[in-house]
């Protein structure tokens, strides 16, 4: 079984979508609530990630709601469909 860790924020619709997707696919995962636990927030920021949800599957980072990429990394699908997203890029052009 692959190691899956989800960093999420409370009252965040995107985080809820990723949790629901993992639950629907019977994926076992570790939750790290950055709203309640500032150590988790610091851990995420030390990895140069500044947004949630951020999912790590065997150390591979997936930011935001990227169901095709999550399926692919979990071995549930055969195409990542390159729906690449990075929180870093959101602020790059501003």
């Amino acid at each position: 079984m692959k190691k899956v860790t989800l960093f999420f924020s409370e009252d965040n619709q995107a985080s809820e979508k990723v949790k629901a997707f993992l639950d629907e696919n019977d994926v076992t995962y570790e939750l790290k609530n950055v709203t309640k636990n500032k150590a988790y927030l610091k851990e995420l920021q030390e990895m140069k990630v500044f947004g949630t949800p951020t999912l790590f599957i065997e150390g591979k980072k997936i930011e935001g709601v990227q169901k095709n990429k999550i399926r692919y990394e979990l071995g549930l699908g055969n195409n990542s469909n390159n729906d690449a997203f990075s929180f870093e890029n959101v602020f790059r052009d501003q």
Side-chain angles (χ1 to χ4, degrees):
M1 180 173 292
K2 294 188 176 191
K3 179 174 172 39
V4 179
T5 305
L6 175 61
F7 288 84
F8 76 102
S9 301
E10 291 182 358
D11 300 322
N12 177 291
Q13 192 173 31
S15 291
E16 294 304 318
K17 285 181 182 180
V18 173
K19 284 196 291 187
F21 179 80
L22 294 172
D23 291 340
E24 289 165 10
N25 287 281
D26 297 319
V27 176
T28 301
Y29 57 97
E30 178 182 7
L31 279 174
K32 293 194 174 187
N33 184 335
V34 301
T35 305
K36 287 187 176 179
N37 188 327
K38 298 306 175 195
Y40 291 153
L41 178 61
K42 184 177 179 181
E43 179 183 350
L44 191 62
Q45 291 173 341
E46 286 174 352
M47 293 183 277
K48 306 294 185 217
V49 178
F50 302 97
T52 59
T54 299
L55 185 67
F56 288 89
I57 301 172
E58 291 294 321
K60 179 154 177 107
K61 176 178 66 176
I62 302 173
E63 297 174 288
V65 182
Q66 298 187 66
K67 292 180 182 179
N68 288 332
K69 190 173 242 184
I70 295 168
R71 266 189 210 96
Y72 177 77
E73 292 301 327
L74 290 171
L76 302 173
N78 58 5
N79 184 352
S80 68
N81 196 21
N82 199 17
D83 51 359
F85 175 86
S86 172
F87 288 111
E88 213 173 89
N89 295 334
V90 171
F91 302 105
R92 183 167 291 170
D93 296 327
Q94 295 183 7

